[in-house]
Amino acid sequence: MTVKALKQKAGIEIEGKDPDKFLEVFKSNVLEQAKIEPSKKIEELTKDNENLRKTYGELETTFNTFKTEITQKETRAKRDSELLKVLPIEGLKVKQADALDLMKLRGYDVDYDESGKLIPMKNGEVVKDEKLSQPIDIKSFAENALKSLDLFDKPQGGRGEGDSDGKDKPGSFEAFTKEMQNKGVSDSSIEFKEEMQKRITAGTLTI
């Protein structure tokens, strides 16, 4: 009865109730299991290690992407700040922030050279003085950009109130600004910018 009970508990199938035979089979099974279990354990640990490596790799990629985005945002903010500093206030037809948005929309921007010096850019290319082959002065670059976009009138003496240079004709930015002001739409509002972009795309507004 003892051997029978042991066979059931150990899950060993042998004929008869010979305890020596049972012990021999039991011993053989134990030795066999001793060879299998370590292999399973190693397999499990290897799999866990691979999962940890994969998870770490994903976290590292996510972190690097986040860090890159933060760096880009900080650089963009710094460039915008530098450009805002050289934008004139007197003679500017719109707010500085709006002028900056319009400049960037039309490809005017600034960047840094290898030495960290601020340089003017237009559509991704450095704007240079044709004679000196050197980047032009940032302030002059900004003023020229604003003039080309009809956003700036450099104050000049001697002009009467009734004088007109034709910039308020239909399709000009000045005419558009006046039209929107008459409608009660602020030049800093989303509605103003959306309507402006819509007309630029349609070719009914030139800036």
Side-chain angles (χ1 to χ4, degrees):
M1 291 297 292
T2 301
V3 173
K4 182 179 180 181
L6 289 172
K7 286 195 296 181
Q8 290 176 347
K9 288 188 177 183
I12 296 175
E13 296 292 337
I14 59 171
E15 295 182 0
K17 300 178 181 178
D18 185 352
D20 291 332
K21 188 174 183 179
F22 168 79
L23 289 173
E24 183 180 345
V25 174
F26 181 74
K27 179 181 178 181
S28 178
N29 285 352
V30 170
L31 292 174
E32 188 64 28
Q33 289 295 323
K35 295 178 182 178
I36 294 175
E37 290 303 323
S39 298
K40 287 184 178 179
K41 194 64 177 177
I42 291 173
E43 184 179 343
E44 290 175 1
L45 290 172
T46 300
K47 187 176 181 179
D48 290 343
N49 186 51
E50 290 176 354
N51 289 335
L52 285 172
R53 285 178 179 273
K54 183 180 179 181
T55 301
Y56 174 78
E58 292 173 350
L59 289 173
E60 186 177 33
T61 300
T62 300
F63 174 74
N64 288 336
T65 301
F66 172 76
K67 186 168 65 174
T68 299
E69 290 176 352
I70 292 297
T71 301
Q72 290 175 343
K73 287 180 180 179
E74 289 177 346
T75 301
R76 178 68 267 174
K78 185 178 179 181
R79 287 161 58 186
D80 287 352
S81 176
E82 293 287 357
L83 191 49
L84 277 172
K85 289 178 183 178
V86 297
L87 294 186
I89 297 178
E90 187 178 359
L92 197 60
K93 298 179 181 179
V94 296
K95 294 179 180 179
Q96 283 186 312
D98 294 330
L100 177 63
D101 289 341
L102 289 167
M103 287 175 64
K104 291 192 294 183
L105 182 66
R106 299 306 291 268
Y108 295 97
D109 205 348
V110 292
D111 204 346
Y112 298 93
D113 61 15
E114 295 179 354
S115 64
K117 182 180 178 181
L118 196 68
I119 53 176
M121 305 289 290
K122 177 68 165 65
N123 295 327
E125 299 291 334
V126 180
V127 181
K128 296 182 178 181
D129 184 295
E130 294 182 359
K131 294 181 180 180
L132 302 176
S133 295
Q134 295 290 330
I136 66 173
D137 176 69
I138 295 295
K139 189 173 182 179
S140 298
F141 163 75
E143 188 174 301
N144 292 338
L146 292 171
K147 285 181 179 179
S148 70
L149 297 175
D150 193 21
L151 299 175
F152 175 68
D153 276 332
K154 192 170 184 177
Q156 297 179 359
R159 285 184 60 181
E161 290 297 326
D163 293 342
S164 173
D165 56 9
K167 290 183 179 180
D168 58 349
K169 64 183 180 179
S172 69
F173 184 78
E174 187 173 274
F176 171 73
T177 302
K178 288 181 179 179
E179 176 191 341
M180 298 303 283
Q181 286 177 346
N182 291 335
K183 292 180 179 180
V185 179
S186 171
D187 58 7
S188 61
S189 68
I190 295 177
E191 183 181 351
F192 181 93
K193 294 181 181 179
E194 288 180 344
E195 182 63 23
M196 178 186 67
Q197 183 59 47
K198 180 180 178 181
R199 296 192 187 188
I200 291 174
T201 302
T204 59
L205 174 63
T206 302
I207 61 174

